Amino acid sequence: MQPTIIFTASAPGMIYLNGRFAGEASRERPLYAPVSPCGPVYMEYRPLTGAGPGLARRCVFSGGAPLADSLADADGLCCVAWPGGVLEAEFTAVPTLAEPVFIDNMAGEIWRGERTELMLNGLRVPLPDGARAPRLMRQDGAALLVGGVDGGGQYLAALAPDLSALLGTLEADAIEPADGGLISAVVSLKDRVGHAQLEQWIVDGDGLRRVSSESAWSAGAPRWPDTAEDTMIAAVEAALAGLPAEAEGYLSPALATGKALASIGQICEGCAPMKYGMPGERACMGLLRAENAHLAVARPLYYRAEPSGGQQGPWQIVALSLE
């Protein structure tokens, strides 16, 4: 099978393959390029806008599939291997910019690039993308940096009282430090139905630790799926979240009794619509598993759904197969 690489880039740029110009790629205009099923492919990205860095990376194919080890250190490149020999590869390199900040009369910098980090008092503190400058709060046994994120959400970094060490970080929809070292957080699971966790954290000599958690809905109520595909995805997401009763509520009685999704966590870490078509007429979705920080592999999960007036939406999954 001859594989195809589908190139995209966070900023428009030129793509070179094995030293030859292959075309232009961006997120809106992907570049499709067939490559050899065996051996190395040398991929180069040259940005057309801004001051972003160029990148050259190497991916080795064997039997039409990429070898995970060849992409293990491929900073600036994110790949998903889809069934049928399709490798989706996005160049994510962006220029690193330093933004000066002042926190409690201390000068620091937020570095924004492929990663976002706060440099303060000799510490390197990882932040979520889009993090705004934090405020400093004092709590029993710790100093807390709390800030917002562009587009919604908050983050917290717990530091030693003298700001000499990082004790832990937390990202959530909402964060509220309280007396006695407790921190309340609302953490969305960002799934189809809208699951969330109400969490309690504490900062002490052992660092930042979660001490309790209970289930909730990020929007106050569930958003039950209304299509067959969303029903299948919601079932897998519920199983991965450790909610077997809800997962079985999307299945036919026969599948639920057979615990059809009980071991799904051994196969995948997430799921998504099948982005590139599979041969045949059977409906399927992609089960995603990370091979390393730069490569994920999608495996098809075939399913059949029928209309049903259930409590968790109008569809019910009546058949499942990995083959």
Side-chain angles (χ1 to χ4, degrees):
M1 176 186 298
Q2 183 178 35
T4 297
I5 302 179
I6 301 178
F7 290 101
T8 60
S10 55
M14 297 183 295
I15 305 297
Y16 287 75
L17 282 179
N18 298 327
R20 295 184 177 181
F21 176 70
E24 180 181 334
S26 66
R27 281 184 175 148
E28 295 74 25
R29 297 179 59 186
L31 173 67
Y32 291 66
V35 296
S36 172
C38 295
V41 175
Y42 299 93
M43 308 172 291
E44 185 180 357
Y45 164 72
R46 301 181 188 178
L48 292 171
T49 60
L55 283 177
R57 296 291 180 258
R58 174 177 174 268
C59 178
V60 179
F61 283 83
S62 177
L67 296 179
D69 288 350
S70 69
L71 293 168
D73 299 317
D75 285 351
L77 186 64
C78 293
C79 299
V80 179
W82 296 90
V86 175
L87 179 67
E88 188 177 19
E90 180 178 15
F91 287 100
T92 60
V94 294
T96 298
L97 304 175
E99 172 189 325
V101 295
F102 288 89
I103 302 171
D104 200 33
N105 296 320
M106 291 180 295
E109 290 182 326
I110 294 180
W111 289 8
R112 303 185 189 277
E114 188 174 352
R115 301 177 183 86
T116 303
E117 297 176 313
L118 170 67
M119 306 300 174
L120 183 70
N121 196 42
L123 286 180
R124 184 187 297 263
V125 180
L127 301 180
D129 291 342
R132 299 193 288 266
R135 67 186 188 277
L136 178 65
M137 304 175 62
R138 296 287 179 178
Q139 198 176 59
D140 294 344
L144 305 180
L145 296 175
V146 182
V149 180
D150 290 342
Q154 291 182 286
Y155 69 89
L156 177 146
L159 310 180
D162 60 357
L163 309 184
S164 63
L166 175 64
L167 303 179
T169 61
L170 171 64
E171 297 178 35
D173 291 16
I175 297 173
E176 186 63 41
D179 294 335
L182 282 175
I183 299 165
S184 298
V186 180
V187 181
S188 170
L189 300 189
K190 303 185 185 304
D191 60 1
R192 287 291 199 280
V193 181
H195 290 98
Q197 295 287 330
L198 301 179
E199 299 179 347
Q200 293 285 319
W201 294 72
I202 192 168
V203 183
D204 57 22
D206 295 326
L208 180 64
R209 297 181 294 113
R210 187 174 64 182
V211 293
S212 69
S213 176
E214 61 180 281
S215 298
W217 300 108
S218 59
R223 300 185 298 267
W224 298 122
D226 57 6
T227 69
E229 181 178 74
D230 280 351
T231 300
M232 186 68 258
I233 291 175
V236 172
E237 289 178 336
L240 292 175
L243 301 169
E246 182 180 320
E248 292 167 5
Y250 298 109
L251 308 179
S252 68
L255 289 180
T257 300
K259 308 294 182 182
L261 294 176
S263 60
I264 197 72
Q266 301 174 19
I267 300 172
C268 69
E269 299 158 340
C271 57
M274 187 60 70
K275 195 168 184 179
Y276 300 99
M278 289 290 294
E281 299 179 354
R282 292 188 295 167
C284 68
M285 52 166 288
L287 301 179
L288 298 171
R289 185 187 71 253
E291 296 293 326
N292 54 48
H294 303 287
L295 175 66
V297 175
R299 178 180 182 180
L301 173 65
Y302 297 95
Y303 67 92
R304 183 164 56 87
E306 293 181 353
S308 172
Q311 296 180 347
Q312 296 177 197
W315 291 89
Q316 186 177 80
I317 307 302
V318 298
L320 288 173
S321 175
L322 291 170
E323 303 295 337

